[in-house]
Amino acid sequence: MTASVLPPDFEWGFATAAYQIEGAVNEGGRGKCIWDTFCHQEPSRTKNASGDIACDHYHKFEEDFDLLSKYGAGAYRFSIAWSRIVPLGGRDDPINEEGIAFYNQLIDSLLRRGITPWVTLYHWDLPQALHDRYGGWLNVDEVQKDFERYARVCYERFGDRVKHWITLNEPWIQAIYGYATGGNAPGRSSTNPHCTEGDTAREPWIVGKALIMSHARAVAAYNQDFRAEQKGVIGVSLNGDYYEPWDKNDPKDAEAAERRMQFHIGWFANPIFLAKDYPDSMRKQLGDRLPPFSLEEFKTLAAAQTDFYGMNYYTSQFAKHCAEAAPETDVLGNVEEHQSNKQGESVGEASGVHWLRSCPGMFRKHLTRVHSLYKKPIYITENGCPCPGEDKMTREESINDPFRIQYFKDHLDAIGKSRQDGSIINGYFAWSLMDNLEWSDGFGPRFGVTHTDYDTLERTPKKSALLLKDMIADRQRPHASL
Ligand code: GBH
């Protein structure tokens, strides 16, 4: 099928995040981040795991980049730890030259190998000092200034070589898991019995605004002072599943599915990509708990032209409307989420984590919907899965990963089909280069294309790592028979 062929310049590679792989938390002048604190709470909120050592990528990055070369990656997405660059986080706080030197080494090593660096500025690791100083993401006015300064330092120091920037990874997860359910750092919630502080009805929406304005200011700064000379591009990575109605004959479920996606994606994409207010459905349900944008802020949003939509996609679900009005603590848009529909049909094949089923058909619909709504080139900045039972497997078992291979194939196929629908999709990053700290799930779920032995820190390529190149190369060749 010629139409699902990927262009020769289709960007592809693997993704990681600083706290999940680096370790060396007390080295190189690094300041603490909110995950250092969260991982050491008692009783443990992260299955007794922490990023103290993680994959020790801080010391092993050359070995990891050897793997990237071996796998044929053209690009690599990683995140910079804010607290390695500015240990105390703030705009008047000192810059840590050792941290700058560390990321310079990473960037230069990638470039020597012919691998394009894609840099995420924020993957959930807020400097702890900012949380302590003024409440971190809860302080909309302060945090956006500090994030802008941090972003500027990164452009100044790395922007001669880094041409692809992602401001934030999954602001939805930061706001909801950090401040509504309390499952992620800084672990605030008024509904979770493990949490002593928080206000689920209000805090996530304040944090959302802080994240949106921080993104906008970082983009505006790039546009004003760096773009002309550095000629890079800048985007944001949003998560969000695709939803179909639980009962396809019930218009209320169809509305619920759309509303659920607005709460997931429109919350951020409306202001960021359309310089528009939050979705109507959110305003309607949340009222003035959703902090408004001032005229001045709308101007900042409009000035912050964002080049691409980074999409983190793993799975899809069915949405069922709720009969009652939403409680104040609802964050989903007053829907029930299901993995089977009314007929009992499953949304997709089960993976190695309960929340992830393989749904490539809905991925195609998702891509096409997102492209038609926000009209930006899409890069898949994360996609991947653990194989069923992989958390209990030996290394020898885990490196034979047919489920992951099929998942990649099916999702690449969906990309081809959505391109056929007219979507512009220019790249794909598999999550993840290696098994790593899966946040509150600790070292259980293995999303890597490389097996990590957490005792010896030995890396072993899984079959999927070596086959991904062929899967993409095959799609880049028009089929002779057609
Ligand atoms: C991404 O988050 C992250 O960007 C990445 O760092 C992470 O390693 C990767 O995905 C794999 O998870 O157990 O029912 O509470 C994806 C968002 C957040 C989706 C946690 C699943 C758990 C649902 N994920 N969530 S549940």
Side-chain angles (χ1 to χ4, degrees), residues 191 199-202 204-205 285-286 288-289 325-331:
T191 57
D199 180 353
T200 297
R202 283 169 193 79
W205 315 115
Q285 181 179 317
L286 304 169
D288 52 16
R289 285 186 285 125
E328 274 209 327
T329 50
D330 174 66
V331 297

Side-chain angles (χ1 to χ4, degrees), residues 81-290:
W82 184 344
S83 66
R84 284 199 192 277
I85 303 297
V86 189
L88 297 174
R91 56 199 177 277
D92 299 318
D93 294 321
I95 293 173
N96 172 37
E97 290 300 331
E98 266 187 278
I100 303 266
F102 170 64
Y103 291 108
N104 272 332
Q105 285 183 64
L106 254 61
I107 292 162
D108 291 341
S109 173
L110 291 168
L111 292 174
R112 272 198 303 277
R113 296 163 185 277
I115 297 169
T116 306
W118 283 60
V119 173
T120 308
L121 291 172
Y122 184 75
H123 201 122
W124 309 347
D125 46 0
L126 184 79
Q128 179 67 37
L130 298 185
H131 185 81
D132 298 341
R133 191 178 289 166
Y134 55 66
W137 290 116
L138 287 168
N139 193 324
V140 177
D141 290 329
E142 287 296 320
V143 75
Q144 60 179 290
K145 291 179 189 149
D146 288 344
F147 185 72
E148 178 186 336
R149 189 295 194 115
Y150 158 61
R152 282 179 177 275
V153 173
C154 292
Y155 307 148
E156 268 160 26
R157 299 306 196 88
F158 309 126
D160 56 334
R161 288 152 295 148
V162 172
K163 305 298 174 187
H164 299 85
W165 297 100
I166 293 164
T167 54
L168 307 172
N169 182 71
E170 300 187 353
W172 192 90
I173 297 285
Q174 176 61 91
I176 299 299
Y177 279 70
Y179 298 82
T181 70
N184 279 7
R188 296 176 64 88
S189 170
S190 51
T191 57
N192 179 336
H194 295 111
C195 303
T196 51
E197 289 176 67
D199 180 353
T200 297
R202 283 169 193 79
E203 291 188 2
W205 315 115
I206 297 168
V207 167
K209 181 176 175 189
L211 289 159
I212 292 163
M213 293 313 300
S214 295
H215 163 86
R217 287 182 70 129
V219 174
Y222 191 76
N223 291 347
Q224 278 155 28
D225 296 330
F226 299 91
R227 184 184 288 274
E229 195 185 328
Q230 297 185 350
K231 300 185 170 59
V233 290
I234 186 160
V236 61
S237 288
L238 302 183
N239 65 299
D241 303 350
Y242 188 77
Y243 290 81
E244 286 196 345
W246 178 77
D247 176 354
K248 62 175 182 298
N249 297 317
D250 187 341
K252 287 199 176 124
D253 282 359
E255 271 171 41
E258 178 58 26
R259 192 166 64 245
R260 179 71 195 89
M261 293 189 275
Q262 292 295 351
F263 269 69
H264 233 147
I265 292 172
W267 179 11
F268 299 98
N270 270 21
I272 289 175
F273 292 104
L274 308 174
K276 266 178 56 177
D277 198 9
Y278 306 108
D280 293 340
S281 58
M282 292 186 74
R283 180 62 70 203
K284 197 166 157 209
Q285 181 179 317
L286 304 169
D288 52 16
R289 285 186 285 125
L290 200 54

Side-chain angles (χ1 to χ4, degrees), residues 20 123 169-170 173 177 314 354-355 382 431 438-439:
Q20 294 180 272
H123 201 122
N169 182 71
E170 300 187 353
I173 297 285
Y177 279 70
Y314 291 91
H354 71 89
W355 57 268
E382 289 181 23
W431 184 269
E438 181 55 13
W439 306 109

